[in-house]
Amino acid sequence: RRSRQQQQRQQQKQPISLDERDFNMVLHAYATRSTEPDHMHSAHRVIALQERTPHAPPLSPVAYSILVKAYGRWKDVENVEMSLLHAQRNGVVPDVVMANTVLDAYVNCGMLDRAQGVFRTMTENNGRMEEEGVGEDGGYWPLIQPNARTYNTLLKGMAEEGDVRSAVKLSKVVRRKGLWDDVTTNTLIKAAVTAGDFDAAETLLANHTASPDAISQRRWKGRNHPEVNAETRQRRGDHPNVEAYTELLDGYAKDGDLESALRVMQQMQRRGVMPNEYTYTCMVGALARRDKVRQARKMINYAATSLPCAGEGWSRTVLTPTYNAFISGLLADNKNGYANNADVSLGQSSHAAHMVEVLAVLREMQEYDIRPNVVTVALVVDGLGRCNPPRCREARELVQHLQSRSKIKQSDANYGNYNNRGGVGEGNDARGISLSNNKIATALITSYGRANDVKSATEAFDHIPEPDVVAFNALLDACCRCDELKLALELFRWRVGIAAPSSKREGDDVGKEKATRRRTTPMITSIEPDVVTYTSLISALLQLDSRAATERARSLYGEMKRKWLISPDTVLVDTILTAMIGGRPVGLDHEDVEFVLSVLRDGAHLEWEDGQYEHRKRAVRSVLTGRPGDTWKNNEFASRLMNERQPEDPLFAKKGWNSIDSGFQLWGGSKGNGDAAYDRTAEGEDDESSVDSFLASKGWNDIDSGFRLL
């Protein structure tokens, strides 16, 4: 008994061993469930707990990979780099998994150059990397042997930028190292399609489509692999290159080349690549945009019977995105060019006919027991709102009807499964089909705005428990459409005035203040504006053509840049320039000129089509030309603009019209025309007889004008 008691005392004195996997699982749960970068506080508390617990395992690359992946998903590059700095200070040695996670985070943040810098640092001395150039000295990253995921991540970044040349150059390295896989092929196809090089994409597919024998051998080897989850096994029927073919098909469809898109689908079948639901979705949407309704409906029916998963117990619910693409294609804006056509009535009748087809499709979905999702309902509501006149009442009743059906099905499902948790998915009004859903309410608010019913638009907005900035922008646009600019400005100050800039801009104190304000005002959800918010208000103010409205617009523009650090886009720049220099009846004063110049200067950092920014500079230059120099001479940007050499018109240069002599001469003759007086003056002889011979012959040089100086 005494020995047993001594043994128990020793066990009580020994520390409890903690497993690193427990910390990582909790950290992963918090990181994946966070809806915003600001919601990562719990994840950081887990990191701090692991650091401060005496008997906890040290932080590993796995923990920082989880953090970096979460911030990369939200495109928060600042916190990505802060996590790396924290790992470096804790002496964490990165592995290839952490390196790949960092590369993917930079690519998601749109910073391919930083991803390439990390790649060069970790590989430049590893057999002398194939890429030319010198990377950073040593740094945090040790020499790491890259794997196929490393190269494919970089290829993904190049594909998103459409850099085909760099992607092809890197793919040669991948092939030489024997790391080429199906993901490499799919990523290269995406790069070629993004760049519009469809011929290169077809060549790659012809050379790198996986053969059926290789696919079956791969599936046999991995059929019982522990890392293969149920979802992966369910999609085993997909060809590994179906994503690449779908990307090419969708590229042709969006480019308006429907025939080539259909040809790609035929090539898929000849090469043993069976289309999946995403392929059919792209094809159905393309057919609907070209008004080929009958072919699109046949394609949907064919997909329902030919998909690999179509079998016993299979539901058409997987085709919900396909039906959405069909509805979206039918209701696409400017599909038939009626927006710029004088015959608007023809466009309205076409839209009404399409709405009949859309409602028929909605009934068909219900007959097949296919639940319309939020996207489906929002598309139908927006289509009803674009009728003439807008059918807002029908749209609202449709949402209420689908909401009641969804609740009945959800309650039946809960009754059949006792352990089913209520309030999730379709049963949650804020997330499912209901008037309080952000996406559906936004479509309804836009419809009320077209109907000039600002009261109903405001009521629809009030039904949203936590409205987002998109819904708020729709409400502001509805107010401006209904000539309720004062109400729009009041709503802006009411909703945005209680919001504070994000903590990543102003620090943690501002984030705490924002949280405190939300607790003290639970019935009001603060809105953080974006560039569309300010565009709606500034455009409405400038249309008033008054000094006070222009001053308010200038104030909003400055607030947007200074307080919220929001940069203007091309739409806002064009809106301001068109309103300010388009023949305003109130004219431009000194402040207006400074405003126009500042907007034009901000537009220099945006991406314009070829020649578009030069066109806007010429428009501003023409306004400044007729004004006194003291209104802009102290502005450095204006001075450069006025002294800038204008490019030569290519058409005039091609025709040689810039060097044609008009033959028009000023009074006094021209050199070489035989006029002796001009010749003497040109040679420096300032003679009083240097007069025009024609005027002298008429005696007009001796006429007394009768005008006398004081």
Side-chain angles (χ1 to χ4, degrees):
R1 182 184 299 176
R2 184 176 300 175
S3 61
R4 189 180 302 124
Q5 291 177 353
Q6 291 177 354
Q7 186 177 2
Q8 290 178 355
R9 292 194 192 99
Q10 290 178 358
Q11 290 178 354
Q12 292 175 358
K13 292 180 181 179
Q14 289 179 354
I16 300 176
S17 60
L18 300 175
D19 194 344
E20 179 190 358
R21 291 174 295 182
D22 297 332
F23 284 96
N24 291 337
M25 284 191 295
V26 176
L27 177 63
H28 182 265
Y30 280 123
T32 53
R33 291 179 63 88
S34 298
T35 58
E36 293 180 7
D38 294 340
H39 295 173
M40 292 287 291
H41 301 302
S42 299
H44 283 283
R45 292 178 64 183
V46 174
I47 292 288
L49 178 64
Q50 187 173 352
E51 282 183 308
R52 297 169 185 174
T53 303
H55 306 295
L59 290 170
S60 67
V62 178
Y64 288 100
S65 297
I66 295 172
L67 281 180
V68 170
K69 183 178 181 180
Y71 284 124
R73 186 176 66 248
W74 290 105
K75 299 179 175 57
D76 189 356
V77 67
E78 182 179 351
N79 279 314
V80 168
E81 295 186 339
M82 287 295 295
S83 300
L84 291 177
L85 181 61
H86 193 271
Q88 185 176 3
R89 289 174 178 173
N90 287 337
V92 177
V93 179
D95 55 7
V96 66
V97 176
M98 181 177 174
N100 292 341
T101 306
V102 173
L103 293 179
D104 187 64
Y106 278 135
V107 168
N108 290 337
C109 294
M111 296 185 173
L112 180 60
D113 53 342
R114 296 194 185 184
Q116 290 173 324
V118 172
F119 180 69
R120 285 193 298 267
T121 303
M122 56 187 264
T123 58
E124 61 179 354
N125 295 321
N126 192 0
R128 295 309 299 169
M129 181 54 199
E130 309 76 20
E131 292 193 13
E132 301 266 331
V134 181
E136 302 172 3
D137 285 336
Y140 174 56
W141 298 97
L143 295 180
I144 299 175
Q145 182 66 36
N147 55 19
R149 184 179 292 272
T150 310
Y151 289 103
N152 289 333
T153 302
L154 285 178
L155 287 173
K156 183 181 78 170
M158 297 172 183
E160 292 177 354
E161 293 188 358
D163 190 356
V164 182
R165 180 175 300 179
S166 299
V168 172
K169 182 179 178 181
L170 186 60
S171 67
K172 295 178 181 178
V173 178
V174 177
R175 180 183 298 177
R176 187 162 62 247
K177 288 183 172 293
L179 298 175
W180 190 294
D181 57 9
D182 299 320
V183 179
T184 309
T185 303
N186 298 341
T187 309
L188 281 175
I189 297 302
K190 182 178 180 180
V193 172
T194 303
D197 193 351
F198 299 115
D199 294 336
E202 295 209 30
T203 303
L204 285 167
L205 280 177
N207 296 331
H208 296 284
T209 300
S211 62
D213 295 337
I215 298 171
S216 59
Q217 184 178 6
R218 242 176 297 169
R219 289 174 181 168
W220 175 263
K221 290 181 179 180
R223 68 191 186 281
N224 293 322
H225 197 278
E227 295 182 1
V228 177
N229 54 22
E231 182 181 358
T232 305
R233 291 193 181 96
Q234 184 180 359
R235 300 198 59 84
R236 285 288 182 177
D238 284 354
H239 190 281
N241 296 128
V242 67
E243 179 183 342
Y245 281 95
T246 304
E247 189 78 32
L248 178 58
L249 182 149
D250 189 46
Y252 274 128
K254 291 179 178 177
D255 197 48
D257 193 352
L258 186 59
E259 290 74 15
S260 296
L262 292 171
R263 177 174 52 81
V264 171
M265 179 167 279
Q266 295 172 357
Q267 287 180 352
M268 294 174 66
Q269 296 177 346
R270 287 196 300 267
R271 295 171 182 172
V273 183
M274 291 299 297
N276 58 16
E277 60 268 27
Y278 304 108
T279 312
Y280 288 113
T281 298
C282 296
M283 200 66 245
V284 167
L287 290 169
R289 286 193 295 271
R290 295 285 294 271
D291 280 338
K292 298 184 179 298
V293 179
R294 185 174 59 85
Q295 293 90 329
R297 297 293 294 269
K298 289 178 63 177
M299 185 72 70
I300 293 176
N301 294 329
Y302 180 74
T305 57
S306 62
L307 283 173
C309 55
E312 186 177 357
W314 177 77
S315 173
R316 279 199 181 199
T317 307
V318 297
L319 290 178
T320 301
T322 309
Y323 280 101
N324 292 346
F326 178 69
I327 296 173
S328 176
L330 282 178
L331 303 178
D333 289 332
N334 298 330
K335 176 174 54 179
N336 296 318
Y338 294 121
N340 298 322
N341 198 328
D343 193 4
V344 180
S345 60
L346 180 61
Q348 289 294 339
S349 61
S350 176
H351 180 78
H354 290 152
M355 279 307 307
V356 173
E357 187 69 31
V358 166
L359 295 176
V361 169
L362 193 59
R363 286 193 297 269
E364 177 183 312
M365 295 176 67
Q366 294 176 340
E367 291 174 1
Y368 283 109
D369 200 20
I370 301 175
R371 290 189 185 183
N373 56 19
V374 171
V375 178
T376 314
V377 180
L379 287 171
V380 177
V381 169
D382 183 69
L384 291 172
R386 286 196 280 118
C387 293
N388 188 17
R391 299 157 64 178
C392 300
R393 181 178 178 180
E394 294 180 48
R396 183 183 180 88
E397 292 175 351
L398 175 65
V399 175
Q400 292 173 338
H401 171 69
L402 294 176
Q403 180 182 1
S404 61
R405 284 177 58 91
S406 177
K407 286 185 176 181
I408 292 173
K409 291 185 177 182
Q410 185 69 24
S411 60
D412 291 342
N414 292 340
Y415 180 79
N417 184 5
Y418 181 80
N419 295 322
N420 194 349
R421 298 174 60 185
V424 179
E426 296 295 331
N428 189 341
D429 288 348
R431 297 176 58 185
I433 298 176
S434 70
L435 295 174
S436 59
N437 180 273
N438 264 294
K439 189 180 291 293
I440 296 175
T442 300
L444 193 59
I445 292 169
T446 305
S447 302
Y448 282 129
R450 296 191 183 103
N452 293 326
D453 189 355
V454 68
K455 180 181 178 181
S456 298
T458 307
E459 292 176 353
F461 182 82
D462 292 337
H463 276 91
I464 309 175
E466 294 184 1
D468 56 11
V469 67
V470 181
F472 185 63
N473 291 342
L475 178 61
L476 293 181
D477 182 71
C479 293
C480 295
R481 281 174 176 264
C482 302
D483 295 330
E484 294 287 348
L485 179 57
K486 183 178 179 180
L487 176 60
L489 292 172
E490 290 177 355
L491 290 171
F492 176 78
R493 290 305 174 196
W494 184 43
R495 290 284 182 173
V496 178
I498 63 174
S502 178
S503 58
K504 67 182 180 181
R505 300 190 185 104
E506 301 291 340
D508 295 336
D509 294 337
V510 176
K512 294 178 181 178
E513 180 184 355
K514 182 177 180 180
T516 304
R517 290 183 180 181
R518 285 181 175 176
R519 288 194 298 268
T520 56
T521 56
M523 299 302 295
I524 302 176
T525 302
S526 61
I527 302 292
E528 185 169 336
D530 59 7
V531 65
V532 180
T533 311
Y534 283 96
T535 300
S536 300
L537 296 176
I538 292 175
S539 175
L541 285 168
L542 292 178
Q543 289 177 7
L544 298 179
D545 285 334
S546 66
R547 295 288 186 190
T550 304
E551 184 178 355
R552 187 70 176 273
R554 289 200 306 264
S555 175
L556 285 175
Y557 187 80
E559 174 189 304
M560 178 190 73
K561 293 175 57 180
R562 290 189 299 270
K563 179 179 179 181
W564 297 100
L565 303 181
I566 299 175
S567 300
D569 58 2
T570 56
V571 176
L572 180 55
V573 171
D574 277 348
T575 299
I576 295 175
L577 293 181
T578 302
M580 296 297 292
I581 65 179
R584 290 165 53 83
V586 297
L588 296 178
D589 56 15
H590 179 71
E591 289 75 12
D592 294 336
V593 173
E594 292 290 336
F595 181 41
V596 170
L597 291 173
S598 65
V599 172
L600 183 64
R601 181 172 58 249
D602 294 337
H605 306 290
L606 303 177
E607 294 184 1
W608 300 86
E609 296 182 2
D610 294 339
Q612 292 299 312
Y613 185 65
E614 294 296 330
H615 175 70
R616 284 147 183 79
K617 288 201 298 184
R618 286 196 300 269
V620 175
R621 191 185 295 114
S622 65
V623 174
L624 297 181
T625 301
R627 301 185 62 84
D630 55 356
T631 58
W632 51 264
K633 65 181 180 180
N634 295 328
N635 191 304
E636 182 180 356
F637 176 76
S639 300
R640 291 199 310 268
L641 179 66
M642 298 302 294
N643 296 326
E644 186 179 79
R645 183 177 180 181
Q646 301 184 29
E648 193 178 55
D649 189 279
L651 177 62
F652 278 62
K654 179 180 179 181
K655 300 294 185 180
W657 293 340
N658 291 327
S659 58
I660 293 178
D661 187 1
S662 64
F664 177 77
Q665 309 298 335
L666 297 175
W667 291 111
S670 62
K671 188 173 181 178
N673 65 351
D675 195 301
Y678 181 86
D679 294 340
R680 288 194 301 271
T681 305
E683 293 172 0
E685 301 178 12
D686 189 11
D687 198 325
E688 293 183 358
S689 62
S690 301
V691 296
D692 185 87
S693 57
F694 177 75
L695 295 176
S697 65
K698 299 296 184 180
W700 291 342
N701 289 328
D702 301 329
I703 295 177
D704 187 3
S705 64
F707 179 75
R708 297 289 184 272
L709 297 175
L710 293 178

